[in-house]
Amino acid sequence: PSPLRQHNFDLAVLLATQESIHRLLNKHCNDNGPHRQYLLDFYVERLESHFTGTQRYGRADDFLEELLFGPPRQVSVVQGEGTTVVIDPVRVAEWILQERREVALEWQSACKNIPSKDHIQIKRLQLDRLMQSYNSNT
């Protein structure tokens, strides 16, 4: 694949991952539970390094990999008599991937509604320029 196509795909995966994280955090915005707090802390710690600016390819995968290989964490929760909750990063990564699938399907559906007529005009302009370039070299 061309570098442009690879870059666009990588950016789409990164944005879909970020959107899925935002959706998960917003779904549980009134819930100040330990899983939400864990995801929020994990995301904020990596916001600059994974989701901001021009960087290397595969940042979304790097984020999920760091999450998957993170150790489970025990968190004390004060609910009545107080309990301890074990937060499994693998489960949090599963939630992100499930949500990212939903995001991708929504975006795919939205893209189907874009008229292909506009793309034909762009392709025609590209072909015209290519032919002009070819004719000027011969």
Side-chain angles (χ1 to χ4, degrees), residues 74-89:
Q74 290 185 350
V75 179
S76 295
V77 180
V78 180
Q79 293 177 342
E81 57 199 46
T83 58
T84 301
V85 175
V86 176
I87 298 174
D88 182 12

Side-chain angles (χ1 to χ4, degrees), residues 2 8 12 27 29 35 43 47-48 50 54 72 108 114 127 133:
S2 74
N8 288 344
K27 279 182 185 176
C29 64
H35 288 88
Y43 172 66
L47 184 61
E48 290 290 323
H50 290 75
T54 304
Q108 183 181 28
I114 297 173
L127 181 60
S133 171

